Amino acid sequence: EVQLVESGGGLVQAGGSLRLSCAVSGNTFDEITIGWFRQAPGKEREGVSCTDDGDRTTYYSDSVKGRFTMSSDFAENTVVLEMNSLKPEDTAVYYCGADTNTRCDAQPASFGSWGQGTQVTVSS
């Protein structure tokens, strides 16, 4: 089973940047589909970015495309989400999710392993 531990996040002004990290253990990157998700108060969890197992293609939601970059540090077994040009609507709890038997185009519920979440707050 995949274990995930997020770090980073915090409070930043609009236009600023933050970096989130997700430490992965239990599986290697090529065995898992892994993504970043977020959940704002009163809203459903939504996908932000995701890398499929196998071909390692990375996808982004339209709301973050061009501003967020997801990358994998194979030496550290860590997935990083660089967030730039942050907007107040990016405020949410951000989660790292993974599974050995899902794809990026699947619903968040298909991801079986989750980190504890980290709060990102963007002030206007």
Side-chain angles (χ1 to χ4, degrees):
E1 184 180 340
V2 183
Q3 289 87 45
L4 307 168
V5 178
E6 299 110 339
S7 60
L11 173 63
V12 66
Q13 288 189 332
S17 300
L18 284 173
R19 184 177 188 269
L20 306 182
S21 295
C22 176
V24 180
S25 61
N27 288 85
T28 58
F29 282 139
D30 61 352
E31 296 174 324
I32 59 174
T33 290
I34 186 164
W36 287 97
F37 300 78
R38 65 187 183 187
Q39 188 165 15
K43 294 188 176 182
E44 293 186 353
R45 190 169 297 189
E46 63 173 356
V48 173
S49 65
C50 184
T51 298
D52 268 326
D53 63 358
D55 64 7
R56 311 307 301 169
T57 300
T58 299
Y59 304 92
Y60 298 92
S61 67
D62 288 342
S63 62
V64 307
K65 199 172 295 182
R67 300 188 298 122
F68 290 11
T69 302
M70 179 178 177
S71 61
S72 301
D73 184 334
F74 289 91
E76 297 292 329
N77 234 33
T78 298
V79 174
V80 173
L81 185 68
E82 299 278 1
M83 305 185 294
N84 299 311
S85 302
L86 283 162
K87 306 174 181 179
E89 51 263 44
D90 294 319
T91 295
V93 178
Y94 283 69
Y95 297 90
C96 182
D99 203 281
T100 59
N101 193 32
T102 192
R103 301 287 293 176
C104 286
D105 57 0
Q107 293 296 314
S110 71
F111 287 72
S113 297
W114 294 93
Q116 79 282 7
T118 184
Q119 178 70 46
V120 171
T121 303
V122 184
S123 62
S124 57

